[in-house]
Amino acid sequence: MWSEETPPIERVYAVVFALPYPIDASYIADQADLSLKTTRAQLEQLCELNVVEVTSYPSTQLYSFADSYLSIRALHRLCTQRTLDELSQMATTLADQIETWQQQYDISSPQAVLGDTGDHPESSTPPPLILGEWLFLTHYQTLIQKAQILLT
């Protein structure tokens, strides 16, 4: 699967980036076709760069992509691949969708449901898929605002 020319750090990065959930170093080593020692060294380097996060348990350590790194990558893409006009259009589209959900479900944010204060009727609770998308759009809206600031 891997070319001999593919550096170990690129292999480990690619495996971790594709992970749907945190996993141990031995799995990453198998997928990257590297020794466990080499894989651990690469994971340590990626942790130092804040690309990978490690969660330690008494019997193992689990590795995953750092959420902050993913946000930085998304912000970088917004700044380098979008104009201010495009960012403004995106911000408007997101704001319109969020406002639609606020009116449709009569809540101000998904946190109102996730924190469930019980101050809304059960029938107006958004389905989990909508809640997830709403959380994502709210996060992306923040990234767009940051990109707009950086580009002005």
CSV table of all heavy atoms in Angstrom, one decimal, residues 37-93:
chain,number,residue,atom,x,y,z
A,37,LYS,N,8.0,1.2,17.3
A,37,LYS,CA,8.9,2.2,17.8
A,37,LYS,C,9.0,3.4,16.9
A,37,LYS,O,8.9,4.6,17.3
A,37,LYS,CB,10.3,1.6,17.9
A,37,LYS,CG,11.4,2.5,18.4
A,37,LYS,CD,12.8,1.9,18.5
A,37,LYS,CE,13.8,2.9,19.0
A,37,LYS,NZ,15.1,2.3,19.0
A,38,THR,N,9.0,3.2,15.6
A,38,THR,CA,9.0,4.3,14.6
A,38,THR,C,7.7,5.0,14.7
A,38,THR,O,7.7,6.3,14.6
A,38,THR,CB,9.2,3.8,13.2
A,38,THR,OG1,10.5,3.1,13.1
A,38,THR,CG2,9.2,4.9,12.1
A,39,THR,N,6.6,4.3,14.8
A,39,THR,CA,5.3,4.9,14.8
A,39,THR,C,5.2,5.8,16.1
A,39,THR,O,4.7,7.0,16.0
A,39,THR,CB,4.2,3.9,14.8
A,39,THR,OG1,4.3,3.1,13.6
A,39,THR,CG2,2.8,4.5,14.9
A,40,ARG,N,5.6,5.3,17.2
A,40,ARG,CA,5.5,6.1,18.4
A,40,ARG,C,6.4,7.4,18.3
A,40,ARG,O,6.0,8.5,18.8
A,40,ARG,CB,6.0,5.3,19.6
A,40,ARG,CG,5.0,4.2,20.1
A,40,ARG,CD,5.5,3.6,21.4
A,40,ARG,NE,4.7,2.4,21.7
A,40,ARG,CZ,3.5,2.4,22.2
A,40,ARG,NH1,2.9,3.5,22.5
A,40,ARG,NH2,2.9,1.2,22.5
A,41,ALA,N,7.5,7.3,17.7
A,41,ALA,CA,8.4,8.5,17.5
A,41,ALA,C,7.7,9.5,16.6
A,41,ALA,O,7.7,10.7,16.9
A,41,ALA,CB,9.7,8.1,16.9
A,42,GLN,N,7.0,9.0,15.6
A,42,GLN,CA,6.3,10.0,14.7
A,42,GLN,C,5.1,10.6,15.4
A,42,GLN,O,4.8,11.8,15.2
A,42,GLN,CB,5.8,9.2,13.4
A,42,GLN,CG,7.0,8.6,12.6
A,42,GLN,CD,8.1,9.5,12.3
A,42,GLN,OE1,7.9,10.7,11.9
A,42,GLN,NE2,9.3,9.1,12.6
A,43,LEU,N,4.4,9.8,16.2
A,43,LEU,CA,3.2,10.3,16.9
A,43,LEU,C,3.7,11.3,17.9
A,43,LEU,O,3.0,12.3,18.1
A,43,LEU,CB,2.5,9.1,17.6
A,43,LEU,CG,1.7,8.2,16.7
A,43,LEU,CD1,1.3,6.9,17.5
A,43,LEU,CD2,0.4,8.9,16.2
A,44,GLU,N,4.8,11.1,18.6
A,44,GLU,CA,5.3,12.1,19.5
A,44,GLU,C,5.6,13.4,18.8
A,44,GLU,O,5.3,14.5,19.3
A,44,GLU,CB,6.6,11.5,20.2
A,44,GLU,CG,7.1,12.4,21.3
A,44,GLU,CD,8.3,11.7,22.0
A,44,GLU,OE1,8.3,10.5,22.3
A,44,GLU,OE2,9.3,12.5,22.2
A,45,GLN,N,6.2,13.3,17.6
A,45,GLN,CA,6.5,14.5,16.9
A,45,GLN,C,5.2,15.2,16.5
A,45,GLN,O,5.1,16.5,16.6
A,45,GLN,CB,7.3,14.1,15.6
A,45,GLN,CG,8.2,15.1,15.1
A,45,GLN,CD,9.1,14.6,14.0
A,45,GLN,OE1,8.9,13.5,13.5
A,45,GLN,NE2,10.0,15.4,13.5
A,46,LEU,N,4.2,14.5,16.0
A,46,LEU,CA,3.0,15.1,15.7
A,46,LEU,C,2.2,15.7,16.9
A,46,LEU,O,1.6,16.7,16.8
A,46,LEU,CB,2.1,14.1,14.9
A,46,LEU,CG,2.6,13.7,13.5
A,46,LEU,CD1,1.8,12.5,13.0
A,46,LEU,CD2,2.5,14.9,12.6
A,47,CYS,N,2.4,15.1,18.0
A,47,CYS,CA,1.8,15.6,19.3
A,47,CYS,C,2.5,17.0,19.6
A,47,CYS,O,1.9,17.9,20.0
A,47,CYS,CB,2.0,14.7,20.4
A,47,CYS,SG,0.8,13.3,20.4
A,48,GLU,N,3.8,17.0,19.5
A,48,GLU,CA,4.6,18.2,19.8
A,48,GLU,C,4.2,19.4,18.8
A,48,GLU,O,4.2,20.5,19.2
A,48,GLU,CB,6.1,18.0,19.6
A,48,GLU,CG,6.6,17.2,20.8
A,48,GLU,CD,8.1,16.8,20.6
A,48,GLU,OE1,8.7,17.3,19.6
A,48,GLU,OE2,8.6,16.0,21.4
A,49,LEU,N,3.7,19.0,17.6
A,49,LEU,CA,3.3,20.0,16.7
A,49,LEU,C,1.8,20.4,16.8
A,49,LEU,O,1.2,21.2,16.1
A,49,LEU,CB,3.5,19.5,15.2
A,49,LEU,CG,5.0,19.3,14.8
A,49,LEU,CD1,5.1,18.6,13.5
A,49,LEU,CD2,5.7,20.7,14.7
A,50,ASN,N,1.2,19.8,17.8
A,50,ASN,CA,-0.3,19.9,18.1
A,50,ASN,C,-1.2,19.5,16.9
A,50,ASN,O,-2.2,20.1,16.7
A,50,ASN,CB,-0.6,21.4,18.5
A,50,ASN,CG,0.0,21.8,19.8
A,50,ASN,OD1,0.0,21.0,20.7
A,50,ASN,ND2,0.7,22.9,19.8
A,51,VAL,N,-0.7,18.5,16.2
A,51,VAL,CA,-1.5,17.9,15.1
A,51,VAL,C,-2.3,16.8,15.6
A,51,VAL,O,-3.4,16.5,15.2
A,51,VAL,CB,-0.5,17.5,13.9
A,51,VAL,CG1,-1.3,16.8,12.8
A,51,VAL,CG2,0.2,18.7,13.3
A,52,VAL,N,-1.7,16.0,16.5
A,52,VAL,CA,-2.3,14.8,17.1
A,52,VAL,C,-2.4,15.0,18.6
A,52,VAL,O,-1.6,15.7,19.3
A,52,VAL,CB,-1.4,13.6,16.8
A,52,VAL,CG1,-1.8,12.4,17.6
A,52,VAL,CG2,-1.4,13.3,15.3
A,53,GLU,N,-3.5,14.5,19.1
A,53,GLU,CA,-3.8,14.5,20.6
A,53,GLU,C,-3.6,13.1,21.1
A,53,GLU,O,-4.0,12.1,20.4
A,53,GLU,CB,-5.2,15.0,20.9
A,53,GLU,CG,-5.4,16.5,20.6
A,53,GLU,CD,-6.9,16.9,20.8
A,53,GLU,OE1,-7.8,16.1,20.7
A,53,GLU,OE2,-7.0,18.1,21.1
A,54,VAL,N,-3.1,13.0,22.3
A,54,VAL,CA,-3.0,11.7,22.9
A,54,VAL,C,-3.9,11.7,24.2
A,54,VAL,O,-3.9,12.7,25.0
A,54,VAL,CB,-1.6,11.3,23.2
A,54,VAL,CG1,-0.9,12.3,24.2
A,54,VAL,CG2,-1.5,9.9,23.8
A,55,THR,N,-4.6,10.6,24.4
A,55,THR,CA,-5.4,10.4,25.6
A,55,THR,C,-4.8,9.2,26.3
A,55,THR,O,-4.8,8.1,25.8
A,55,THR,CB,-6.9,10.2,25.3
A,55,THR,OG1,-7.3,11.3,24.5
A,55,THR,CG2,-7.7,10.1,26.6
A,56,SER,N,-4.3,9.4,27.6
A,56,SER,CA,-3.7,8.3,28.3
A,56,SER,C,-4.7,7.6,29.2
A,56,SER,O,-5.4,8.3,29.9
A,56,SER,CB,-2.5,8.9,29.1
A,56,SER,OG,-1.5,9.4,28.2
A,57,TYR,N,-4.6,6.3,29.2
A,57,TYR,CA,-5.3,5.5,30.1
A,57,TYR,C,-4.3,4.6,30.9
A,57,TYR,O,-3.2,4.5,30.4
A,57,TYR,CB,-6.4,4.6,29.4
A,57,TYR,CG,-7.4,5.5,28.7
A,57,TYR,CD1,-7.3,5.8,27.3
A,57,TYR,CD2,-8.5,5.9,29.4
A,57,TYR,CE1,-8.3,6.6,26.7
A,57,TYR,CE2,-9.5,6.7,28.8
A,57,TYR,CZ,-9.4,7.0,27.5
A,57,TYR,OH,-10.3,7.8,26.9
A,58,PRO,N,-4.7,3.9,31.9
A,58,PRO,CA,-3.8,3.1,32.7
A,58,PRO,C,-3.0,2.1,31.8
A,58,PRO,O,-1.9,1.8,32.0
A,58,PRO,CB,-4.6,2.5,33.8
A,58,PRO,CG,-5.8,3.4,34.0
A,58,PRO,CD,-6.0,4.0,32.6
A,59,SER,N,-3.8,1.5,30.9
A,59,SER,CA,-3.2,0.4,30.1
A,59,SER,C,-2.8,0.8,28.7
A,59,SER,O,-2.1,0.0,28.0
A,59,SER,CB,-4.1,-0.8,30.0
A,59,SER,OG,-5.3,-0.4,29.4
A,60,THR,N,-3.1,2.0,28.2
A,60,THR,CA,-2.8,2.3,26.8
A,60,THR,C,-2.9,3.8,26.6
A,60,THR,O,-3.4,4.6,27.5
A,60,THR,CB,-3.8,1.6,25.8
A,60,THR,OG1,-3.3,1.8,24.5
A,60,THR,CG2,-5.2,2.2,25.9
A,61,GLN,N,-2.5,4.2,25.4
A,61,GLN,CA,-2.6,5.6,25.0
A,61,GLN,C,-3.4,5.6,23.6
A,61,GLN,O,-3.1,4.8,22.8
A,61,GLN,CB,-1.3,6.3,24.8
A,61,GLN,CG,-0.6,6.5,26.1
A,61,GLN,CD,0.7,7.3,25.9
A,61,GLN,OE1,1.5,6.9,25.0
A,61,GLN,NE2,1.0,8.3,26.7
A,62,LEU,N,-4.3,6.5,23.5
A,62,LEU,CA,-5.1,6.6,22.2
A,62,LEU,C,-4.8,7.9,21.5
A,62,LEU,O,-4.7,8.9,22.2
A,62,LEU,CB,-6.6,6.4,22.5
A,62,LEU,CG,-7.0,5.2,23.2
A,62,LEU,CD1,-8.6,5.2,23.4
A,62,LEU,CD2,-6.6,3.9,22.4
A,63,TYR,N,-4.6,7.8,20.2
A,63,TYR,CA,-4.3,8.9,19.4
A,63,TYR,C,-5.4,9.3,18.5
A,63,TYR,O,-6.1,8.5,17.9
A,63,TYR,CB,-3.0,8.6,18.6
A,63,TYR,CG,-1.8,8.3,19.5
A,63,TYR,CD1,-1.6,7.0,19.9
A,63,TYR,CD2,-1.0,9.3,19.9
A,63,TYR,CE1,-0.5,6.7,20.7
A,63,TYR,CE2,0.1,9.0,20.7
A,63,TYR,CZ,0.4,7.8,21.1
A,63,TYR,OH,1.4,7.5,21.9
A,64,SER,N,-5.5,10.6,18.3
A,64,SER,CA,-6.5,11.2,17.3
A,64,SER,C,-6.0,12.5,16.8
A,64,SER,O,-5.1,13.1,17.4
A,64,SER,CB,-7.9,11.3,18.0
A,64,SER,OG,-7.8,12.3,19.1
A,65,PHE,N,-6.6,13.0,15.7
A,65,PHE,CA,-6.3,14.3,15.2
A,65,PHE,C,-6.8,15.3,16.2
A,65,PHE,O,-7.8,15.2,16.8
A,65,PHE,CB,-7.0,14.5,13.9
A,65,PHE,CG,-6.1,14.9,12.7
A,65,PHE,CD1,-5.2,13.9,12.2
A,65,PHE,CD2,-6.1,16.1,12.2
A,65,PHE,CE1,-4.3,14.3,11.2
A,65,PHE,CE2,-5.2,16.5,11.2
A,65,PHE,CZ,-4.3,15.6,10.7
A,66,ALA,N,-6.0,16.4,16.4
A,66,ALA,CA,-6.3,17.4,17.3
A,66,ALA,C,-7.4,18.3,16.7
A,66,ALA,O,-7.2,18.8,15.5
A,66,ALA,CB,-5.1,18.3,17.6
A,67,ASP,N,-8.5,18.6,17.4
A,67,ASP,CA,-9.5,19.4,16.9
A,67,ASP,C,-9.0,20.8,16.5
A,67,ASP,O,-9.4,21.4,15.5
A,67,ASP,CB,-10.7,19.5,17.9
A,67,ASP,CG,-11.4,18.2,18.0
A,67,ASP,OD1,-11.4,17.4,17.1
A,67,ASP,OD2,-12.1,18.1,19.1
A,68,SER,N,-8.1,21.3,17.4
A,68,SER,CA,-7.6,22.7,17.1
A,68,SER,C,-6.8,22.7,15.8
A,68,SER,O,-6.9,23.7,15.1
A,68,SER,CB,-6.7,23.1,18.3
A,68,SER,OG,-5.6,22.2,18.4
A,69,TYR,N,-6.1,21.6,15.5
A,69,TYR,CA,-5.4,21.6,14.2
A,69,TYR,C,-6.4,21.6,13.0
A,69,TYR,O,-6.1,22.3,12.0
A,69,TYR,CB,-4.5,20.4,14.1
A,69,TYR,CG,-3.7,20.3,12.9
A,69,TYR,CD1,-2.6,21.2,12.6
A,69,TYR,CD2,-4.0,19.4,11.9
A,69,TYR,CE1,-1.9,21.1,11.4
A,69,TYR,CE2,-3.3,19.3,10.7
A,69,TYR,CZ,-2.3,20.2,10.5
A,69,TYR,OH,-1.6,20.1,9.3
A,70,LEU,N,-7.4,20.9,13.1
A,70,LEU,CA,-8.4,20.9,12.1
A,70,LEU,C,-9.0,22.2,11.9
A,70,LEU,O,-9.3,22.7,10.7
A,70,LEU,CB,-9.5,19.8,12.4
A,70,LEU,CG,-9.0,18.4,12.4
A,70,LEU,CD1,-10.2,17.4,12.8
A,70,LEU,CD2,-8.5,18.0,11.0
A,71,SER,N,-9.3,23.0,13.0
A,71,SER,CA,-9.8,24.3,12.9
A,71,SER,C,-8.8,25.3,12.2
A,71,SER,O,-9.2,26.1,11.4
A,71,SER,CB,-10.2,24.9,14.2
A,71,SER,OG,-11.3,24.2,14.8
A,72,ILE,N,-7.6,25.1,12.6
A,72,ILE,CA,-6.5,25.9,11.9
A,72,ILE,C,-6.4,25.7,10.5
A,72,ILE,O,-6.3,26.6,9.6
A,72,ILE,CB,-5.2,25.7,12.7
A,72,ILE,CG1,-5.2,26.3,14.1
A,72,ILE,CG2,-4.0,26.3,11.9
A,72,ILE,CD1,-4.1,25.9,15.0
A,73,ARG,N,-6.5,24.4,10.1
A,73,ARG,CA,-6.5,24.0,8.6
A,73,ARG,C,-7.7,24.7,7.9
A,73,ARG,O,-7.5,25.2,6.8
A,73,ARG,CB,-6.5,22.5,8.5
A,73,ARG,CG,-5.2,21.9,8.7
A,73,ARG,CD,-5.2,20.4,8.4
A,73,ARG,NE,-5.7,20.2,7.1
A,73,ARG,CZ,-5.8,19.0,6.5
A,73,ARG,NH1,-5.5,17.9,7.2
A,73,ARG,NH2,-6.3,18.9,5.3
A,74,ALA,N,-8.8,24.6,8.5
A,74,ALA,CA,-10.0,25.1,7.9
A,74,ALA,C,-9.9,26.7,7.8
A,74,ALA,O,-10.2,27.2,6.7
A,74,ALA,CB,-11.3,24.8,8.7
A,75,LEU,N,-9.4,27.3,8.8
A,75,LEU,CA,-9.2,28.8,8.8
A,75,LEU,C,-8.2,29.1,7.7
A,75,LEU,O,-8.4,30.1,6.9
A,75,LEU,CB,-8.7,29.3,10.1
A,75,LEU,CG,-8.5,30.8,10.3
A,75,LEU,CD1,-9.8,31.5,10.0
A,75,LEU,CD2,-8.0,31.1,11.7
A,76,HIS,N,-7.1,28.4,7.6
A,76,HIS,CA,-6.1,28.6,6.5
A,76,HIS,C,-6.8,28.5,5.1
A,76,HIS,O,-6.5,29.4,4.3
A,76,HIS,CB,-5.0,27.6,6.7
A,76,HIS,CG,-3.9,27.8,5.6
A,76,HIS,ND1,-3.9,27.1,4.5
A,76,HIS,CD2,-2.9,28.7,5.5
A,76,HIS,CE1,-2.9,27.5,3.7
A,76,HIS,NE2,-2.3,28.5,4.3
A,77,ARG,N,-7.6,27.5,4.9
A,77,ARG,CA,-8.2,27.3,3.6
A,77,ARG,C,-9.2,28.5,3.3
A,77,ARG,O,-9.2,29.0,2.2
A,77,ARG,CB,-9.0,26.0,3.6
A,77,ARG,CG,-8.2,24.8,3.2
A,77,ARG,CD,-9.0,23.6,2.8
A,77,ARG,NE,-10.0,23.3,3.8
A,77,ARG,CZ,-9.8,22.5,4.8
A,77,ARG,NH1,-8.6,21.9,5.0
A,77,ARG,NH2,-10.8,22.2,5.7
A,78,LEU,N,-9.9,28.9,4.3
A,78,LEU,CA,-10.8,30.1,4.1
A,78,LEU,C,-10.0,31.3,3.8
A,78,LEU,O,-10.4,32.1,2.9
A,78,LEU,CB,-11.6,30.3,5.4
A,78,LEU,CG,-12.7,29.3,5.7
A,78,LEU,CD1,-13.3,29.6,7.1
A,78,LEU,CD2,-13.8,29.4,4.7
A,79,CYS,N,-8.9,31.5,4.4
A,79,CYS,CA,-8.1,32.7,4.1
A,79,CYS,C,-7.4,32.7,2.8
A,79,CYS,O,-7.2,33.7,2.2
A,79,CYS,CB,-7.1,32.9,5.2
A,79,CYS,SG,-7.8,33.5,6.8
A,80,THR,N,-7.0,31.5,2.3
A,80,THR,CA,-6.3,31.4,1.1
A,80,THR,C,-7.1,31.0,-0.1
A,80,THR,O,-6.6,31.3,-1.3
A,80,THR,CB,-5.2,30.3,1.2
A,80,THR,OG1,-5.7,29.1,1.6
A,80,THR,CG2,-4.1,30.7,2.3
A,81,GLN,N,-8.3,30.6,0.1
A,81,GLN,CA,-9.1,30.1,-1.1
A,81,GLN,C,-10.4,30.9,-1.3
A,81,GLN,O,-11.2,30.6,-2.2
A,81,GLN,CB,-9.4,28.6,-0.9
A,81,GLN,CG,-8.2,27.8,-0.9
A,81,GLN,CD,-8.5,26.3,-0.7
A,81,GLN,OE1,-9.6,25.9,-0.6
A,81,GLN,NE2,-7.4,25.5,-0.6
A,82,ARG,N,-10.7,31.9,-0.4
A,82,ARG,CA,-11.9,32.6,-0.5
A,82,ARG,C,-11.6,34.1,-0.5
A,82,ARG,O,-10.7,34.6,0.2
A,82,ARG,CB,-12.9,32.3,0.7
A,82,ARG,CG,-13.3,30.9,0.8
A,82,ARG,CD,-14.2,30.5,-0.3
A,82,ARG,NE,-14.6,29.1,-0.1
A,82,ARG,CZ,-15.3,28.4,-1.0
A,82,ARG,NH1,-15.6,29.0,-2.2
A,82,ARG,NH2,-15.6,27.2,-0.8
A,83,THR,N,-12.4,34.9,-1.2
A,83,THR,CA,-12.3,36.4,-1.1
A,83,THR,C,-13.2,36.9,0.0
A,83,THR,O,-14.0,36.1,0.6
A,83,THR,CB,-12.8,37.0,-2.4
A,83,THR,OG1,-14.2,36.7,-2.6
A,83,THR,CG2,-12.0,36.4,-3.6
A,84,LEU,N,-13.0,38.1,0.4
A,84,LEU,CA,-13.9,38.7,1.4
A,84,LEU,C,-15.4,38.7,1.0
A,84,LEU,O,-16.2,38.4,1.8
A,84,LEU,CB,-13.5,40.2,1.7
A,84,LEU,CG,-12.3,40.3,2.7
A,84,LEU,CD1,-11.9,41.8,2.8
A,84,LEU,CD2,-12.8,39.9,4.1
A,85,ASP,N,-15.6,38.9,-0.3
A,85,ASP,CA,-17.0,38.8,-0.8
A,85,ASP,C,-17.6,37.4,-0.6
A,85,ASP,O,-18.7,37.2,-0.1
A,85,ASP,CB,-17.1,39.2,-2.2
A,85,ASP,CG,-17.0,40.7,-2.4
A,85,ASP,OD1,-17.2,41.5,-1.4
A,85,ASP,OD2,-16.7,41.2,-3.5
A,86,GLU,N,-16.8,36.4,-0.9
A,86,GLU,CA,-17.2,35.0,-0.8
A,86,GLU,C,-17.5,34.7,0.7
A,86,GLU,O,-18.5,34.0,1.0
A,86,GLU,CB,-16.2,34.0,-1.4
A,86,GLU,CG,-16.2,34.1,-2.9
A,86,GLU,CD,-15.0,33.3,-3.5
A,86,GLU,OE1,-13.9,33.2,-2.8
A,86,GLU,OE2,-15.2,32.7,-4.5
A,87,LEU,N,-16.6,35.2,1.6
A,87,LEU,CA,-16.8,34.9,3.0
A,87,LEU,C,-18.0,35.6,3.5
A,87,LEU,O,-18.8,35.0,4.3
A,87,LEU,CB,-15.5,35.4,3.8
A,87,LEU,CG,-14.2,34.6,3.6
A,87,LEU,CD1,-13.1,35.3,4.2
A,87,LEU,CD2,-14.4,33.2,4.1
A,88,SER,N,-18.3,36.8,3.0
A,88,SER,CA,-19.5,37.5,3.4
A,88,SER,C,-20.8,36.7,3.0
A,88,SER,O,-21.7,36.6,3.7
A,88,SER,CB,-19.6,38.9,2.8
A,88,SER,OG,-18.6,39.7,3.5
A,89,GLN,N,-20.7,36.2,1.8
A,89,GLN,CA,-21.9,35.4,1.2
A,89,GLN,C,-22.0,34.1,2.1
A,89,GLN,O,-23.2,33.7,2.4
A,89,GLN,CB,-21.7,35.0,-0.2
A,89,GLN,CG,-21.8,36.2,-1.2
A,89,GLN,CD,-21.4,35.9,-2.6
A,89,GLN,OE1,-20.8,34.8,-2.9
A,89,GLN,NE2,-21.6,36.8,-3.5
A,90,MET,N,-20.9,33.5,2.4
A,90,MET,CA,-21.0,32.3,3.2
A,90,MET,C,-21.6,32.6,4.6
A,90,MET,O,-22.4,31.8,5.1
A,90,MET,CB,-19.6,31.6,3.4
A,90,MET,CG,-19.1,31.0,2.1
A,90,MET,SD,-17.3,30.6,2.2
A,90,MET,CE,-17.4,29.1,3.3
A,91,ALA,N,-21.1,33.7,5.2
A,91,ALA,CA,-21.6,34.1,6.5
A,91,ALA,C,-23.1,34.3,6.5
A,91,ALA,O,-23.8,33.9,7.4
A,91,ALA,CB,-20.8,35.3,7.0
A,92,THR,N,-23.6,35.0,5.4
A,92,THR,CA,-25.0,35.3,5.3
A,92,THR,C,-25.8,34.0,5.2
A,92,THR,O,-26.8,33.8,5.8
A,92,THR,CB,-25.3,36.2,4.1
A,92,THR,OG1,-24.6,37.4,4.3
A,92,THR,CG2,-26.7,36.5,3.9
A,93,THR,N,-25.3,33.0,4.4
A,93,THR,CA,-26.0,31.8,4.2
A,93,THR,C,-26.1,31.0,5.5
A,93,THR,O,-27.1,30.5,5.8
A,93,THR,CB,-25.2,30.9,3.1
A,93,THR,OG1,-25.2,31.7,1.9
A,93,THR,CG2,-25.9,29.6,2.9
